[in-house]
Amino acid sequence: MTAQSTYSSSDDFFVNTADLSARRPPPRSKNPVVLFLKRPIVLISLYLAYIALIFVKWDTLKDWLVADILNRPASEIGNGLEAMWLALWVALPYFIFSIFNAAKIQLRLRIPFFRNIDFLRDIAQVVFLFVVVAGLYTLALNVMDNTQIPINWNVVSRHFPVEVSEGPDFTKEISWLKDIPIIGNRLAKADVLQPGTTTRALITGLINTLRAVILALVFSTILGVLIGIGLLSNNWLVRNVSAVYVEIFRNTPLLLQLFFIYRGVLGILPTAPKDAYKFGNFYLSGRGLNFPKVLTTDSYPYFLMGIIAGLIVGIALWRWRLRVQDETGKPANTLIWFSTAFFGLGAIGLVLAFVTGGTPFELENPTLDRFNFVGGSRWSAGYLTLVVGLTLFTAAFVADIVRAGIQSVSHGQIEAARAHGLTSNQTLRLVVLPQAMRLIVPPLTNQYLNLSKASSLAISIGFYDLFNVATIVQNQTGQAVALFVILMLTYLVISLLISLLMNIINRSLQLKTR
């Protein structure tokens, strides 16, 4: 038995506790409550709830500062002091958390605070958070004091008089709100969610934005991967056509491409519905694309339960096969196991749907009326232009990222794959792309973020996205600050969600060793 190591004066002055786990590993709690509270998502949620509570009770906290601590009139409290008081409350939990962790380490490992590099790093982040919050709140107070038009956040409950031709109808009640347990009735009676309000119009604009962004993300990824592979093709025609595509769409402004598609492509199509180009039950005209609408029937829940069950079982099998591969080294074949479970249980759900009530889906085809199409679904010219423009523009950058990722794989890997008898397609699919994805995903995240923010150019083609609706409200009310704060926060949340998803994918692709 060997004695546990302790730290002498010969150790480095700054000690990183992560480097000491081999000498004295920290005890791990087995309490499920403690393990749950230590999850990052739980800590972040609690911290956000704490900040929300601060803003709700801010008047009380400010009165406490004025009356009990400073004992001065409220008029003598400057914006800077008020901002520092708010920043102190925002940074306080992080500061207490850092002190608590450093105290535990000092008791267990006898590392003083001033030598604990983790504690010093946390304190630096606390100071940075304090400065950022104080600066932003000081700026906000100065804007409110110097703005000629008072900032009125009640603008979100005002009536929106403009008709939005895209997305859900914001002039109708949201019937499903009342079905939400506990808070449903209160939400249904909220002023901001009443039909015809600015909030409802902004929600419609947000849904339109998400519709375009999600579809463009999927299409640009597929097209970009194909063109990126085409850039390295041995076929002269494929390689040069791909290179010309990338050079054209990467080196011309997106706004110009949107105008060209809207005016130069869709603009020359016939505007009369009777003259629309017909492709089966699809009708393309200058007004947009009309196509069949998929409707669900009474037997649809059986099919949906089969799909959900297949997804859950497939994910469980995927994780199990990866664990078996780590423990035994046998091939995981995750895609085969997942596909078998997903499509197998989905097929069972489809059979149950047919047995109980027939087909779970029906198609409603568009039909030509006197002046327009009725029934089916419709993508307007603005929506079609935005999706196509974002897809073509982003795919050019994705293609170059894919090309660089493939070329980063050592040529020796390709030669080894060919020496084992793999074909070119097998080499690409089984050897090259899995290694290249580790380098492709990080820059691909940036392009996805650029795509989501570039969707605001929809205002140039008259599409009612979030930015367009907010601009209309700002022009009518003059509340530019309130509307653009809402816009910035909304686009920030969208970007953070995309980053979160891509970071999860990136971590799953990282090289793991035993």
Side-chain angles (χ1 to χ4, degrees), residues 31 67 84 126 157 171 220 228 245 294 309 317 323 328-329 339 352 355 367 419 424 437 464 496 505:
N31 191 331
M84 292 175 63
V126 169
S157 60
T171 61
S220 62
Y245 170 87
V294 179
L317 290 175
R323 188 164 59 251
T328 65
S339 301
L352 288 176
V355 171
T367 56
S424 298
M437 287 299 293
Y464 284 100
L496 290 178
I505 297 175

Side-chain angles (χ1 to χ4, degrees), residues 301-507:
Y302 295 98
F303 176 71
L304 180 61
M305 287 189 295
I307 291 295
I308 295 175
L311 186 62
I312 295 174
V313 174
I315 293 175
L317 290 175
W318 187 298
R319 296 170 63 91
W320 171 65
R321 292 304 304 172
L322 289 177
R323 188 164 59 251
V324 169
Q325 179 176 340
D326 290 338
E327 295 174 354
T328 65
K330 295 180 180 180
N333 295 324
T334 52
L335 187 59
I336 297 177
W337 285 83
F338 176 83
S339 301
T340 303
F342 180 76
F343 290 109
L345 292 175
I348 293 175
L350 184 62
V351 171
L352 288 176
F354 272 102
V355 171
T356 55
T359 175
F361 301 104
E362 290 181 351
L363 290 180
E364 180 184 84
N365 294 319
T367 56
L368 182 61
D369 200 5
R370 293 184 58 187
F371 302 106
N372 207 344
F373 289 99
V374 294
S377 296
R378 174 177 174 268
W379 288 351
S380 67
Y383 177 73
L384 202 60
T385 299
L386 183 62
V387 171
V388 173
L390 291 176
T391 298
L392 297 178
F393 181 76
T394 308
F397 291 89
V398 173
D400 220 23
I401 292 172
V402 171
R403 175 200 57 78
I406 293 175
Q407 287 184 325
S408 67
V409 178
S410 172
H411 192 68
Q413 298 281 334
I414 301 175
E415 293 178 342
R418 291 174 179 172
H420 281 78
L422 297 181
T423 64
S424 298
N425 291 333
Q426 290 174 330
T427 301
L428 178 65
R429 181 169 53 88
L430 301 175
V431 177
V432 177
L433 282 181
Q435 298 182 71
M437 287 299 293
R438 300 188 184 102
L439 298 176
I440 289 174
V441 170
L444 195 63
T445 304
N446 294 332
Q447 294 306 319
Y448 286 171
L449 296 177
N450 291 336
L451 186 151
S452 65
K453 291 176 286 189
S455 63
S456 60
L457 291 176
I459 190 175
S460 63
I461 53 177
F463 178 66
Y464 284 100
D465 72 324
L466 176 65
F467 185 78
N468 195 357
V469 174
T471 302
I472 294 174
V473 178
Q474 185 268 327
N475 291 334
Q476 293 178 344
T477 62
Q479 294 295 327
V481 175
L483 268 301
F484 280 97
V485 166
I486 294 173
L487 273 180
M488 287 190 295
L489 291 177
T490 305
Y491 280 109
L492 175 62
V493 171
I494 295 174
S495 298
L496 290 178
L497 290 176
I498 294 176
S499 298
L500 176 63
L501 178 61
M502 295 303 293
N503 286 334
I504 293 174
I505 297 175
N506 188 34
R507 283 196 296 270

